[in-house]
Amino acid sequence: MQWAAITGVIATVSVFAIAQGLSYPLLSFILQRQGVSPAMIGLSAAMTPIGFIVSSPLIPGLARRFGAGRTALTCAALSAVVLALIGWTQNVYLWFPLRFLIGAVTNPLYVLSEIWVIALAPPARRGRIMGVYSTIISAGFAAGPLCLLAVGTQGWPPFLVGICAFVLCGMCLASVLPRLPKVDEAGHRVSVLGFVPMAWLLLLAVIVAAGFEQGALALLPVYGNHYGIAEARMSALLSMMIAGNIAMQVPLGLLAERLTARLVRLACVSLTVVGCVLLPLLIETPLIWPMIFVWGAVSYGIYTMSIIELGERFTGSTLVAGNAAFSLMWGVGGIAVPPTAGSAMDILGARGLPITLCLMCLALAVASLAGRGKA
């Protein structure tokens, strides 16, 4: 076990997660103070996942040409520079290309770091290590907004926290770079699109996990408003959902070691469907608290199990292409599902949210049960 290397890479990604988790609400607060419309704020926020989508197919080629380590370090430096430009401009229209750029330059850093964790984790302990990884990532994203409580949302201080986080991210990575495995060999080249038929079911699972997370976080407050539930209570419920995500990834990873990642993923999908059915029945009762805790755990567990299975099945440049494809599909799910669920709520009322999420998860469950080879 190369604990120093694993710890260094996970520290790198955790700092990255804090910077990302801080930037999303910070920029929204600033735009809101400027009187920008909610629709424009939403469009501005969408530029970052679009950057993820556009940059994902380029990652395998960048890693082969420049080396994975050099690519990741360059992206950490560029992320700090772009965030500084965002803080300097303070203009909604200039932020569109800049938020696209920050998505494009942070994505390779995240993807390559995740690949290193997968490659370093021994097969017998991959479940627990990826569980720890998912837990720390989630905690980092949750800690980002908490930083704003300490430094506020005015002026340069919050931007300096994010900039320093990206610099620290690069320092953590540089300290362990000589210990990291080679994942960018030139032979057996596989493109991101070429990877799709090799593991379409895993990629579908990523779309579902991303769509569920983004759809639930964006629309559960709207869903609660239909029942007359106060904003404070809905915020607490969302926090409980995130807490389930953070707390349960390691136990799910240990379970994957005893069973298989595929079987645990199917169980997570099934329990997520059950949660969709129970949501309208329990939303006004005290039982909603344990239900939404479990819901948050198993819905994100779909992604954790998919990552574990990716590491079990692929290595080298194929793993690089696969993880870049995961990032691409995460962007697709995050962009496609919230508007779809929102439209369903416009047509069907509040029940449109659980119906959309349920149908999406049912489709994944059916595809998983069909089990076409190792798709």
Side-chain angles (χ1 to χ4, degrees):
M1 285 288 291
Q2 299 185 52
W3 286 113
I6 292 173
T7 302
V9 176
I10 290 180
T12 297
V13 185
S14 64
V15 176
F16 160 85
I18 291 170
Q20 287 286 82
L22 173 145
S23 65
Y24 276 99
L26 170 63
L27 302 186
S28 294
F29 284 136
I30 292 172
L31 292 176
Q32 203 168 24
R33 283 200 301 268
Q34 293 177 356
V36 176
S37 69
M40 185 68 80
I41 292 173
L43 284 173
S44 177
M47 297 308 294
T48 298
I50 291 173
F52 293 163
I53 292 172
V54 172
S55 65
S56 292
L58 306 177
I59 295 172
L62 289 171
R64 282 195 300 267
R65 181 166 184 179
F66 301 108
R70 188 179 302 171
T71 300
L73 287 174
T74 302
C75 286
L78 288 175
S79 298
V81 171
V82 175
L83 187 57
L85 287 173
I86 290 173
W88 179 57
T89 54
Q90 299 278 321
N91 181 286
V92 62
Y93 298 107
L94 291 176
W95 278 8
F96 274 84
L98 289 173
R99 293 186 82 167
F100 171 84
L101 280 176
I102 204 163
V105 298
T106 57
N107 191 35
L109 173 64
Y110 174 77
V111 168
L112 292 170
S113 297
E114 190 164 78
I115 291 166
W116 279 316
V117 176
I118 295 170
L120 286 164
R125 297 185 180 182
R126 184 172 284 125
R128 71 193 75 182
I129 289 174
M130 297 314 298
V132 169
Y133 169 83
S134 294
T135 296
I136 291 176
I137 285 287
S138 300
F141 276 111
L146 295 178
C147 292
L148 297 179
L149 295 177
V151 299
T153 61
Q154 302 274 358
W156 274 102
F159 286 99
L160 290 175
V161 171
I163 292 165
C164 291
F166 280 125
V167 172
L168 181 59
C169 179
M171 293 171 63
C172 290
L173 181 59
S175 67
V176 296
L177 204 55
R179 301 171 179 264
L180 299 181
K182 298 290 184 181
V183 294
D184 51 354
E185 66 268 19
H188 308 293
R189 295 184 180 183
V190 179
S191 69
V192 169
L193 293 180
F195 180 82
V196 173
M198 299 172 68
W200 63 267
L201 185 56
L202 288 181
L203 297 176
L204 177 61
V206 173
I207 291 174
V208 169
F212 185 95
E213 180 183 76
Q214 298 300 314
L217 291 176
L219 296 172
L220 269 177
V222 181
Y223 183 84
N225 184 62
H226 173 82
Y227 290 91
I229 297 173
E231 289 184 5
R233 187 168 188 263
M234 286 310 301
S235 296
L237 282 172
L238 286 174
S239 298
M240 180 64 75
M241 187 175 183
I242 295 169
N245 174 352
I246 294 172
M248 294 305 294
Q249 298 312 303
V250 173
L252 287 173
L254 289 168
L255 190 60
E257 291 177 8
R258 289 183 171 274
L259 305 174
T260 64
R262 176 172 291 203
L263 186 59
V264 177
R265 187 181 72 234
L266 179 59
C268 287
V269 174
S270 302
L271 289 172
T272 304
V273 170
V274 172
C276 294
V277 174
L278 291 177
L279 180 64
L281 302 176
L282 302 181
I283 187 65
E284 296 180 284
T285 75
L287 291 175
I288 189 63
W289 296 95
M291 190 284 283
I292 210 161
F293 179 89
V294 174
W295 213 32
V298 295
S299 60
Y300 195 76
I302 298 170
Y303 181 77
T304 302
M305 295 305 109
S306 300
I307 278 287
I308 293 170
E309 189 173 344
L310 179 73
E312 290 172 349
R313 290 171 50 188
F314 303 103
T315 59
S317 59
T318 308
L319 179 60
V320 177
N323 209 274
F326 268 37
S327 179
L328 174 63
M329 295 306 168
W330 185 272
V332 169
I335 288 176
V337 174
T340 302
S343 299
M345 293 177 77
D346 286 341
I347 298 169
L348 302 173
R351 61 181 178 174
L353 176 62
I355 287 174
T356 302
L357 298 179
C358 184
L359 290 175
M360 178 178 67
C361 293
L362 272 176
L364 177 59
V366 170
S368 300
L369 287 170
R372 298 180 183 177
K374 287 196 172 184

